Amino acid sequence: MLESSKGLPGQNETALPTASPLSADHLQGWWQLTQALSAAQTPQHVTDVVVREGISAMGAQAGSVMLLGHDGTALNIAACSGYCLEQIDPWRVLSLNKTTPATQAFRQRQALFIETKEQALLDYPLIEGALQRFSGSIVALPLAVQEQVLGVLSLSFHTQRLFSAADRLYLLSLASQCAQALQRTTALQEAQILNDRLSFLAEASEILSSSLDMAVTLDSIAELAVPRLADWCVINLPTPDGLLAPVAVVHQDPTMVELLRQFIARNPVQITSENGSGRVFLTGVPELIPVVTDEMYDAIAQSEDWKADVRRLQLRSVITVPMRSRGRVVGVLGMARTSLDRVYGPADLAFALEVAARSGAAVENASLYGQAQQELQMRTQAQQELDAALLLLEERVKERTHELEQVNGELEAFAYSASHDLRTPIRHITSFAQLLNRHLQATDPRASLLLQQIQQAATRLTATVDGILSLSKSSRLPLQPKPVDLNALVRDVVRGLYATSPHRAIDWQLSSLPVVQGDPALLQLALQNLLDNAVKYTQLQPEAIIQVDAQEQADEHIITVQDNGVGFDADYAHKLFEAFQRLHHPADFEGTGIGLANVRRIVGRHGGRVWAESGPGQGARFSFSLPKAT
């Protein structure tokens, strides 16, 4: 939607020059801008292209690109052209609460075409100072893609002009191209940032696990952070006299490092300090200052010399986070940027916390290591205990970097225990109970009855152990995907169920099923469990009806098994697929509570999902999805 403010009364005597129809120059400029935006790889590159080529392509003599800040409360100038420094400085950070053409275009998502200076002063008195030597026209174009407004493109025309419908469409089209290029390059940049962060964490983990020398390790982490994450990186650790001492200080310019160390020496940070690193250490609450303004410096209750020293450090965006280990703060990690071109946001804060957490663990490990070394020097008679402590430290580092291996090891150990330590004693119990039953059946009926109960309990326990082993197997075995005809699998399962329930009256209603990509053995196990359930819970019906059908969706197949059995309370459907969870009493229906958990794991490993629908006495409907082969 376009918006154009009208001129003031009494101004109609002097007609404003009307922009000419789109010319070959316009089209040439449009084409050049389109090519340049297509080649842009970063948002900064896009804004540079806009101010270098786009403003002139739009026929303006000056302009700026303002983007929404991280906190969503202000517009920040990302690039500009045609203005002198004193014209730009007051508007570098423009609060959205102020009424200006740029903020109004942003808030209302409407383009503003202000054709006269008088019109601008009437509608926006706040910009009077900026218009003292200006007598042309102003355009503010929101940079919007779908529902998202990224910023505003402001244009200044030195002479007053009328904007025809073709002019406005041309300007809006160019602004739309800029917005789309910004969105595309922002997505690329975010992907690159994510890759860089993953790479950083991998390198940081290697550094943290390679040495227990605290100073060397933390200095390596700080050097890794500059310039990838920051222009400044400082790591502070507490001292016995209640100060926070900079263990690692890194900046690309060594003279700046010395400048900061001298400043800290003159102004030591107390752990109990109510600002900066001291407050973060004391409270454990991270702090993010996206933009450090001169007004912030002025508001600090410090001497002018102190403020001058801090300004020389050129801190423009700051993150300060606690380094934790075992629930307590062991240090403070500070990072800063010296330019507003790359200010920190919430995502940077979250990543800094992750780096600080890993560094905190390294501080703890290194501290323990240092204590062990001191004990070794002081008490040579405790050599064995110290060696054990060092071994423990090494094991802790290994454990924290091999968590997945531990989980797999525990699963394998459990499967081994279940198969060898549980099944053999259960088999002995069953065998001896059978032998005793044979001897006592005629002479002691009561003892024989008790032995039969032992046999039944052992049988149920064997089934439970087999179910657990099956559940473990379905999770551990590697998938062997291949094209699988579900019709053939269902027919095999049904034939087996006919053999085990020859006297049941079951109406099998089998629809055509698709060929899917998956592991045949695991998919057959999933179908076996679902159809077993359907047969079991329809045993009270004179004639059981079991339906198997499929639905094809855009990117997946949905397979459904439906019966006319006893059903279940839908309020507890979420428990059905958890191991050992049963919604019916074992005396009514036998089972271990493992089958549906197996189904969920198997389907999940194939990239699908499972769900169930029912009501008491209404039968049950179990469904699972499998993605289509790509």
Side-chain angles (χ1 to χ4, degrees):
M1 179 176 180
L2 305 182
E3 177 178 313
S4 175
S5 302
K6 296 181 179 180
L8 296 173
Q11 292 179 334
N12 295 331
E13 297 84 358
T14 303
L16 298 179
T18 302
S20 59
L22 294 183
S23 63
D25 290 340
H26 281 90
L27 296 177
Q28 177 69 16
W30 191 344
W31 182 84
Q32 290 177 347
L33 179 60
T34 300
Q35 296 300 308
L37 290 176
S38 299
Q41 297 298 314
T42 67
Q44 185 61 51
H45 190 187
V46 171
T47 58
D48 290 343
V49 167
V50 171
V51 300
R52 187 178 66 246
E53 300 182 21
I55 291 175
S56 60
M58 297 179 189
Q61 286 73 48
S64 66
V65 178
M66 305 190 79
L67 301 181
L68 183 65
H70 286 289
D71 59 359
T73 63
L75 295 173
N76 302 323
I77 292 182
C80 63
S81 176
Y83 299 113
C84 59
L85 189 61
E86 57 268 21
Q87 288 177 303
I88 287 297
D89 277 343
W91 307 99
R92 288 194 180 276
V93 179
L94 179 59
S95 171
L96 289 175
N97 293 328
K98 296 181 178 180
T99 301
T100 68
T103 56
Q104 185 174 348
F106 182 90
R107 290 195 302 264
Q108 298 181 357
R109 296 172 53 84
Q110 294 178 336
L112 297 178
F113 296 87
I114 305 170
E115 296 170 336
T116 68
K117 177 179 178 180
E118 291 76 9
Q119 176 186 342
L121 291 175
L122 179 63
D123 293 340
Y124 308 102
L126 186 64
I127 65 173
E128 180 179 0
L131 299 181
Q132 288 181 356
R133 291 177 292 176
F134 180 78
S135 59
S137 300
I138 299 172
V139 174
L141 303 169
L143 299 174
V145 180
Q146 296 179 348
E147 297 301 318
Q148 183 182 14
V149 183
L150 307 176
V152 175
L153 172 59
S154 298
L155 302 174
S156 296
F157 298 83
H158 290 172
T159 59
Q160 295 182 358
R161 58 185 291 177
L162 291 174
F163 295 96
S164 67
D167 290 333
R168 299 184 183 206
L169 181 59
Y170 177 76
L171 293 173
L172 287 170
S173 299
L174 290 178
S176 176
Q177 288 190 56
C178 297
Q180 292 174 17
L182 275 174
Q183 185 187 54
R184 173 182 59 81
T185 55
T186 298
L188 289 174
Q189 188 177 64
E190 289 175 351
Q192 183 60 47
I193 289 173
L194 178 59
N195 289 334
D196 290 344
R197 287 176 175 175
L198 292 175
S199 174
F200 181 91
L201 287 178
E203 294 182 45
S205 297
E206 183 177 354
I207 290 173
L208 294 173
S209 62
S210 63
S211 173
L212 289 171
D213 187 316
M214 186 184 305
V216 172
T217 300
L218 295 182
D219 198 57
S220 298
I221 290 296
E223 289 178 353
L224 188 64
V226 176
R228 294 167 67 171
L229 303 180
D231 299 314
W232 276 108
C233 184
V234 180
I235 299 178
N236 293 294
L237 297 182
T239 64
D241 53 355
L243 299 176
L244 282 177
V247 177
V249 179
V250 176
H251 188 282
Q252 294 186 82
D253 184 353
T255 60
M256 295 295 289
V257 173
E258 184 59 28
L259 182 65
L260 178 60
R261 289 193 179 277
Q262 292 176 1
F263 175 80
I264 294 175
R266 293 192 300 270
N267 304 275
V269 179
Q270 301 285 339
I271 289 177
T272 57
S273 175
E274 295 185 358
N275 53 53
S277 299
R279 180 172 57 231
V280 171
F281 185 89
L282 191 63
T283 64
V285 178
E287 295 185 357
L288 165 64
I289 306 177
V291 177
V292 179
T293 64
D294 290 335
E295 290 79 8
M296 292 181 180
Y297 287 129
D298 295 336
I300 299 175
Q302 293 285 352
S303 67
E304 291 303 319
D305 290 342
W306 185 95
K307 294 177 182 179
D309 288 342
V310 172
R311 283 191 171 94
R312 279 195 288 271
L313 298 176
Q314 302 174 11
L315 308 179
R316 283 302 180 186
S317 187
V318 179
I319 285 178
T320 311
V321 293
M323 297 163 56
R324 295 180 179 274
S325 180
R326 300 182 181 181
R328 66 187 184 90
V329 179
V330 298
V332 176
L333 170 65
M335 296 191 298
R337 284 176 172 159
T338 59
S339 170
L340 291 178
D341 293 339
R342 298 182 303 152
V343 299
Y344 288 122
D348 300 299
L349 179 63
F351 185 70
L353 283 169
E354 175 66 22
V355 175
R358 299 189 183 205
S359 301
V363 169
E364 178 71 9
N365 287 341
S367 177
L368 292 174
Y369 178 80
Q371 293 174 16
Q373 288 294 88
Q374 291 178 7
E375 289 292 327
L376 180 63
Q377 296 172 3
M378 295 168 54
R379 301 174 57 189
T380 56
Q381 68 273 23
Q383 181 67 50
Q384 186 175 3
E385 294 180 4
L386 290 174
D387 289 342
L390 294 176
L391 181 60
L392 177 61
L393 290 175
E394 293 174 359
E395 289 300 322
R396 286 177 180 172
V397 174
K398 292 179 181 178
E399 288 172 2
R400 291 172 182 174
T401 55
H402 296 87
E403 292 180 358
L404 183 59
E405 293 180 3
Q406 291 177 338
V407 172
N408 290 336
E410 290 172 2
L411 285 174
E412 293 175 0
F414 173 77
Y416 179 86
S417 174
S419 61
H420 293 279
D421 297 343
L422 293 178
R423 298 184 73 183
T424 300
I426 295 171
R427 188 165 58 249
H428 290 166
I429 291 171
T430 305
S431 300
F432 290 137
Q434 289 175 345
L435 290 173
L436 285 173
N437 192 22
R438 291 174 190 168
H439 286 289
L440 298 176
Q441 190 169 12
T443 60
D444 193 342
R446 176 171 175 74
S448 176
L449 179 61
L450 294 176
L451 288 170
Q452 290 177 10
Q453 293 179 352
I454 292 174
Q455 290 177 256
Q456 293 171 358
T459 300
R460 289 195 299 272
L461 185 56
T462 298
T464 299
V465 170
D466 289 343
I468 294 173
L469 290 174
S470 175
L471 186 63
S472 175
K473 180 180 179 182
S474 68
S475 301
R476 292 185 298 110
L477 291 180
L479 289 177
Q480 298 180 355
K482 61 181 67 174
V484 179
D485 185 357
L486 294 183
N487 295 292
L489 293 188
V490 170
R491 286 195 297 269
D492 288 345
V493 174
V494 170
R495 278 196 293 269
L497 293 173
Y498 267 129
T500 57
S501 306
H503 304 298
R504 290 282 306 278
I506 302 177
D507 180 10
W508 293 95
Q509 300 179 3
L510 308 179
S511 301
S512 177
L513 302 179
V515 175
V516 299
Q517 190 76 9
D519 187 300
L522 291 180
L523 290 178
Q524 182 163 11
L525 178 59
L527 289 167
Q528 178 77 47
N529 285 322
L530 291 174
L531 295 175
D532 274 344
N533 267 10
V535 171
K536 176 168 57 176
Y537 290 108
T538 56
Q539 59 184 278
L540 301 180
Q541 298 293 336
E543 181 180 15
I545 301 175
I546 301 176
Q547 301 172 310
V548 182
D549 58 35
Q551 293 181 350
E552 182 176 359
Q553 304 292 336
D555 55 358
E556 64 182 2
H557 297 286
I558 297 178
I559 315 301
T560 300
V561 176
Q562 185 170 354
D563 62 59
N564 65 336
V566 296
F568 57 85
D569 189 340
D571 290 340
Y572 300 97
H574 62 283
K575 291 187 175 183
L576 281 173
F577 298 99
E578 297 178 6
F580 306 111
Q581 296 292 328
R582 307 192 66 220
L583 302 187
H584 298 282
H585 197 278
D588 299 328
F589 300 96
E590 294 183 353
T592 61
I594 296 294
L596 291 180
N598 239 340
V599 172
R600 184 183 68 174
R601 292 200 180 185
I602 291 171
V603 173
R605 293 189 66 194
H606 283 79
R609 51 199 172 86
V610 295
W611 64 96
E613 305 164 271
S614 181
Q618 300 177 10
R621 180 184 176 90
F622 289 87
S623 302
F624 65 91
S625 67
L626 293 173
K628 289 184 176 179
T630 56

